[in-house]
Amino acid sequence: MDHSVTIFQAVVLGVVQGLAELLPISSSAHLALTPYFFGWTDPGLAFDVALHLGTLIALVWYFRAEWIDMTRSAWRIAQTRRIETVHDRRLVFLVVATIPAGVGGLLLEDLAETTFRSPTVIGTTLLVMGVLLWAIDRWSARTRGLEDVTLRDAVIVGCAQVLALVPGVSRSGSTITAGRLLQLDRPS
C-alpha cells in the first residue's frame, strides 16, 4: 500500500494532530479522516505514530516539573520499598493505568492498522464517545477528588484507555469519561 505524503499534507496533518491532541476528541480519528475528506492517500499508522511522538516530546517538555516529581517518587519507592506520599501513589496508579493500554495495543495491533481506520467505524465512535462524555459529565456526581483515587479506579481508567486504540475514541476523552463515571470532580 502506498503511504507517501507530501510536505503540505504532513504540515496539515501535524497541525491537526497538535490541535486535536489536547482536547477530549480523537486526534487519531482526525488524522484518519483528514486524508479521507481531502482525497489524499492515507499515510498509515506509522505516520500517525510519528506525529504522536512529536506531541509526546512537546508534552513531556511542558510537564517536565511533574515528570521530575514522578522520577523522585520512583527513586524514593525504589529506595524505601514503600508508597508514602500522594506523588508516590499517583506514580503507581499511572503505571497500573498504563498496563491495560499496552496489553490492548499488542493484542489489537493488526486491527488498529486496518479495520479501525474505516471512516464508518471512526464516525460512529466519534458520535458515541461524544454523547457518552457529554451525558456522563452532565449527570455524574462530582463527589471525589484526586486524593480519593484508588487502585481500582486506576485499573478502570486504564481499561478505558484501551478503547482509544480505535480512532474516534479519544484517550483523554475516554479517561475523563471513566473518571467522571467514577464520580471524580472535573479538576481531578
Side-chain angles (χ1 to χ4, degrees):
M1 176 180 264
D2 178 27
H3 291 296
S4 62
V5 61
T6 68
I7 301 263
F8 174 75
Q9 291 168 345
V11 168
V12 169
L13 292 169
V15 168
V16 167
Q17 165 65 18
L19 293 173
E21 187 64 33
L22 299 177
L23 300 172
I25 60 174
S26 173
S27 62
S28 296
H30 289 80
L31 288 176
L33 290 176
T34 299
Y36 175 77
F37 283 120
F38 284 115
W40 301 340
T41 301
D42 181 355
L45 190 58
F47 185 82
D48 289 5
V49 169
L51 290 175
H52 281 86
L53 180 61
T55 304
L56 174 65
I57 291 167
L59 290 173
V60 166
W61 176 255
Y62 183 82
F63 290 107
R64 64 189 175 277
E66 286 83 353
W67 286 105
I68 290 168
D69 284 346
M70 283 193 283
T71 302
R72 287 182 182 139
S73 287
W75 183 255
R76 187 173 36 258
I77 292 168
Q79 285 183 320
T80 65
R81 306 231 188 268
R82 290 192 310 255
I83 300 165
E84 297 174 334
T85 69
V86 171
H87 291 289
D88 296 351
R89 282 186 44 220
R90 277 191 207 151
L91 174 65
V92 170
F93 293 161
L94 178 63
V95 170
V96 167
T98 302
I99 293 169
V103 171
L106 291 173
L107 295 175
L108 301 173
E109 181 180 4
D110 291 339
L111 288 174
E113 177 70 42
T114 57
T115 306
F116 290 168
R117 292 182 71 83
S118 155
T120 304
V121 170
I122 293 169
T124 302
T125 55
L126 280 169
L127 274 168
V128 169
M129 289 308 297
V131 168
L132 272 176
L133 176 58
W134 171 78
I136 289 171
D137 184 58
R138 178 169 174 134
W139 288 303
S140 281
R142 299 173 185 181
T143 58
R144 300 174 60 212
L146 195 54
E147 65 280 354
D148 300 320
V149 171
T150 65
L151 185 61
R152 174 185 163 268
D153 297 332
V155 170
I156 291 169
V157 169
C159 289
Q161 283 192 82
V162 175
L163 298 174
L165 293 169
V166 180
V169 179
S170 163
R171 188 174 24 270
S172 61
S174 64
T175 57
I176 289 168
T177 301
R180 294 290 297 116
L181 191 61
L182 293 167
Q183 299 183 346
L184 291 173
D185 59 22
R186 278 184 161 196
S188 300

